[in-house]
Amino acid sequence: MSKLHRSAPERGHEDPSGIGRFVNKGQIPRLGGPGTSAPEAWFLGMKAENADEFERLIVEAIRDQAFWRRNFHPDDPTVISEATKRRPDYVHAIDTLKDSYRSLLALLKKSVPFFSMRYQGHMNWDTAMPAVLGYFAAMLYNPNNVAFEGSTATTLLEILVGDDLCRMLGYAIPDKAAHERGAVRPWGHITSGGTVANIEALWSARNLKLYPVAVQAALREEASLAAAKDFRISAHGRAKVPLLTLDAWSLMNLEVDEILAIPSRLTAEHGVAPGILTEVMSRYSPQSLGMHEFFRRFCGALGGPPVVLVPATKHYSFPKGAAILGIGAANIIDVPLDEDARMSIPALRKILKACLAERRPVYSVVAVIGSTEESAVDPLADILELRQEMRAAGLDFTVHADAAWGGYHVCVLRDDEGGAEPFDREAKQESEVGLGRHAVRHYTALSSADSITVDPHKSGYIPYPAGALCYRNGAMRDLVTFKAPYIVHDDAEPAVGIYGLEGSKPGAAVAAVYLAHKVIRPTKRGYGKIHRKSLFNCKRVYARLLCMAKPEDHFVVVPVPRLPAETAGSSAEEQIQFIRDRIDRKRDEELLADAQAMALLPELGPDVNILCYAFNFKHADGRLNASLDKANRLNKAIYEVLSIKPGEDVASHDLIVSTTDFEQAHYGKAFLDSYKRRLGVGGSEGNTVTVLRSTVLNPWLTEDEEDSFLDMLEAEFREAISRAMLRDSVGQVFEEIDANKDGRLEWAEIDARLRALGHREEEIAKFFRTSDITSDGYLSKSEFLEHFSQFLVHSSLGR
């Protein structure tokens, strides 16, 4: 791994990123070493506790920018003179700027309070102070990382950051000597987000699958490749055979590294010049011919169009990418989930065997490492083992890990670099917990995935836009290269922007990741510490939700993640009682001192730190509601209470969560039936379950005698449930009154219904007038819900 140096390297292997040839000695930026270990210094703070230091550093960036401008050819003329600054139009322009700027500042206060412990809605929390400072400082230079000439500093940083992300995810960076001996070198780069990274992963997987087919066609038809007609390759691990003798099915099931070695082997073994090969292959690639023509000419004997296999928890970028790339969204095949919302290995095996029997190629199998709804980690190690099984039968494919959300959680497992940091705190137990056994096993397998998406702007606490794609074998990047002559002038320039989907992209995003990684290393001491703390808090929220409802309460709450006892087939009630007695409502120090409770804590709740759950209500006689439709209505009503609507004052919300739906068509029957049964609606018709979602990225949720976040959370949920149940009851009254089912109430409908209930004509008329906010002569459902409960309180029947 790279080390933190203060001087230029003396040996080539100490500059593994190879950027030393582009900068003067002594000026090589570095990523590595111990970093720092004080999370309190990494964020502005929920109450802006670090505002003074943050302000000083922001001002320093502005002053440094001014110094740079004044000293770049200092003899150049000044454009804005002091006399200019006294002109009326100049003064007016500055005044307008100030007024408009302050208006913008006021408007921005309507933004979502991501920094607050009360915000649990989406995959966002406070941004790390080093990341914001890095972004701000670089933004003043406005670098464009599309090419080196527009980003002479931040392109170098992107190379460093790409390597650092590769190391974080488990891809080892070989030194120069090992690379020259044939060691595979990984490569990574920054994208605008996980969507682009996933599309690039599909793009490279598609091109990889089709490359041997294109090479075979070129060898048959091109005189310039005559010397290579006997080129031989290993198919399915067997002895090498002439590539020209393989059929399309065999060509589309070669191993990844065998395919990626073809260009260099053609040069080394048959003397084919790289420039000639590139020029020839451009006439045979699907990128030139288009998918329809490519398959018409070269792939007629296949049993069907190639597919991509994804879990039902897939991100929308996969069908979108398939549509863009000509793969076809219909060829993105959902693999059903198991009861824990993870890809089902038996279901995957069944689909792969069907593809093998039909001779239908598989571009890629995608494992989600931290799904964005359920926070589930797919069984990556098992997927990789299954690939080995399928390879032996003649079916091969890439394995892509979509770790956009969960990628940085691997830092919990990454050893620190460079020895002890000199200011480590005194050894003591902190409110932290690691990953569960399932997650550890499959995070450990990341190093064997062919490509990995990770989003620094999610669990890396870095400002948007900052996603990333890393390849296990960096040669995969060459499969998606379009070299525009006006962008890249010389191979001697360091190039990053040519290896991806995007053109212009902000170098400031790269600087944000660089400075964050410089201060907060992606190891146990750095990001690992943040995630151990936030995982601890997520597990505590899970325990509180699990134990929140008492026998006398008129509701139950059921988290989506099953208990370890449930997965093991033992008593759930016993384990719930243990959690109630030994984990929930315990102060942090009490919990940390309980070895048995701390051993269970990592196994509770989601694999990483998004928690889904749903409420159900009890009837007056204590029976649990058995209707899925009514349970969904309750959870939607709770969400309405705990979400921000257009025009509302953000500060009026004491807790903010989000919602999602689990649909059997995507998730599969096993998962949905299991959760419906646990929610108490197993016998009810319906294939969609509405749940609530809390994202716990905050490492500082307090839990002591004076300040209990969990008690606040419970109080807000209880209030929301009461309001939601009242709102749902009023909603049912609306539906009963709405005789013609047009979603709005006419005067005649309201008058007839309320008169039948004994209300006076004048109070009905007053209710209608005050509720008709839009003055359109009708009451919408929202208008009715807003005013009806108050009408009942103040009406003659309510007094």
Side-chain angles (χ1 to χ4, degrees), residues 444-486:
T444 303
L446 275 172
S447 59
S448 297
D450 295 301
S451 54
I452 306 173
T453 289
V454 61
D455 275 1
H457 67 210
K458 287 189 174 75
S459 52
Y461 300 86
I462 285 166
Y464 295 107
L469 177 65
C470 295
Y471 295 115
R472 178 187 57 79
N473 186 331
M476 281 190 80
R477 67 181 183 169
D478 297 320
L479 295 167
V480 297
T481 305
F482 282 85
K483 293 187 178 181
Y486 77 92

Side-chain angles (χ1 to χ4, degrees), residues 387-439:
R387 177 169 68 171
Q388 288 301 110
E389 179 185 323
M390 291 294 110
R391 274 178 174 169
L395 178 67
D396 210 334
F397 44 85
T398 67
V399 173
H400 174 65
D402 180 5
W405 165 240
Y408 271 79
H409 291 80
V410 77
C411 300
V412 169
L413 308 177
R414 292 286 172 253
D415 289 334
D416 296 316
E417 307 165 348
E421 198 264 331
F423 302 106
D424 270 347
R425 306 175 184 199
E426 295 179 13
K428 67 172 185 177
Q429 275 194 303
E430 296 195 48
S431 300
E432 301 175 356
V433 73
L435 295 164
R437 287 188 294 272
H438 168 88

Side-chain angles (χ1 to χ4, degrees), residues 184-206:
V184 167
R185 201 212 191 279
W187 184 84
H189 75 133
I190 296 298
T191 67
S192 63
T195 293
V196 167
N198 283 334
I199 292 173
E200 287 184 6
L202 279 185
W203 188 14
S204 60
R206 184 202 73 173

Side-chain angles (χ1 to χ4, degrees), residues 68 279 409 411 484 583 644 663 684 714 774:
W68 181 66
E279 191 271 329
H409 291 80
C411 300
I583 295 177
I644 303 171
E663 298 178 1
S684 179
E714 178 176 340
T774 57

Side-chain angles (χ1 to χ4, degrees), residues 5 83 107 132 159 162 198 252 312 398 448 452 454 512 625 667 674 709:
H5 292 278
L107 177 65
V132 177
I159 294 169
N198 283 334
M252 295 178 75
T398 67
S448 297
I452 306 173
V454 61
N625 163 60
Y667 282 75
S674 172
F709 166 78

Side-chain angles (χ1 to χ4, degrees), residues 131 134-135 138 190-191 462-466 505-514:
Y135 196 102
I190 296 298
T191 67
I462 285 166
Y464 295 107
K505 61 179 187 177
V510 172
V513 181
Y514 170 79

Side-chain angles (χ1 to χ4, degrees), residues 237-428:
R238 294 191 287 272
K240 290 183 179 180
V241 298
L243 186 140
L244 284 174
T245 65
L246 297 175
D247 62 8
W249 171 257
S250 297
L251 288 169
M252 295 178 75
N253 283 287
L254 301 176
E255 292 189 23
V256 172
D257 291 343
E258 280 282 341
I259 299 170
L260 293 174
I262 290 174
S264 61
R265 287 187 55 215
L266 285 170
T267 298
E269 298 171 18
H270 299 279
V272 178
I276 291 175
L277 182 63
T278 299
E279 191 271 329
V280 166
M281 291 308 300
S282 69
R283 297 195 290 271
Y284 293 87
S285 74
Q287 302 198 147
S288 298
L289 296 174
M291 293 288 282
H292 176 78
E293 180 64 12
F294 185 90
F295 274 81
R296 186 189 69 80
R297 288 173 59 176
F298 308 131
C299 305
L302 298 176
V307 296
V308 177
L309 306 185
V310 296
T313 55
K314 68 183 181 299
H315 190 255
Y316 65 81
S317 53
F318 291 103
K320 180 185 286 188
I324 292 169
L325 294 168
I327 293 170
N331 294 314
I332 299 289
I333 307 299
D334 281 359
V335 179
L337 306 179
D338 63 16
E339 292 184 57
D340 298 300
R342 302 162 183 154
M343 179 186 279
S344 166
I345 292 298
L348 175 62
R349 178 180 279 105
K350 181 179 179 181
I351 295 171
L352 288 172
K353 284 186 173 181
C355 289
L356 181 63
E358 297 168 11
R359 291 173 68 85
R360 190 174 188 186
V362 177
Y363 286 122
S364 190
V365 173
V366 176
V368 176
I369 307 300
S371 54
T372 55
E373 304 286 358
E374 313 76 12
S375 219
V377 171
D378 281 333
L380 176 61
D382 299 331
I383 293 169
L384 291 163
E385 289 174 4
L386 183 55
R387 177 169 68 171
Q388 288 301 110
E389 179 185 323
M390 291 294 110
R391 274 178 174 169
L395 178 67
D396 210 334
F397 44 85
T398 67
V399 173
H400 174 65
D402 180 5
W405 165 240
Y408 271 79
H409 291 80
V410 77
C411 300
V412 169
L413 308 177
R414 292 286 172 253
D415 289 334
D416 296 316
E417 307 165 348
E421 198 264 331
F423 302 106
D424 270 347
R425 306 175 184 199
E426 295 179 13
K428 67 172 185 177

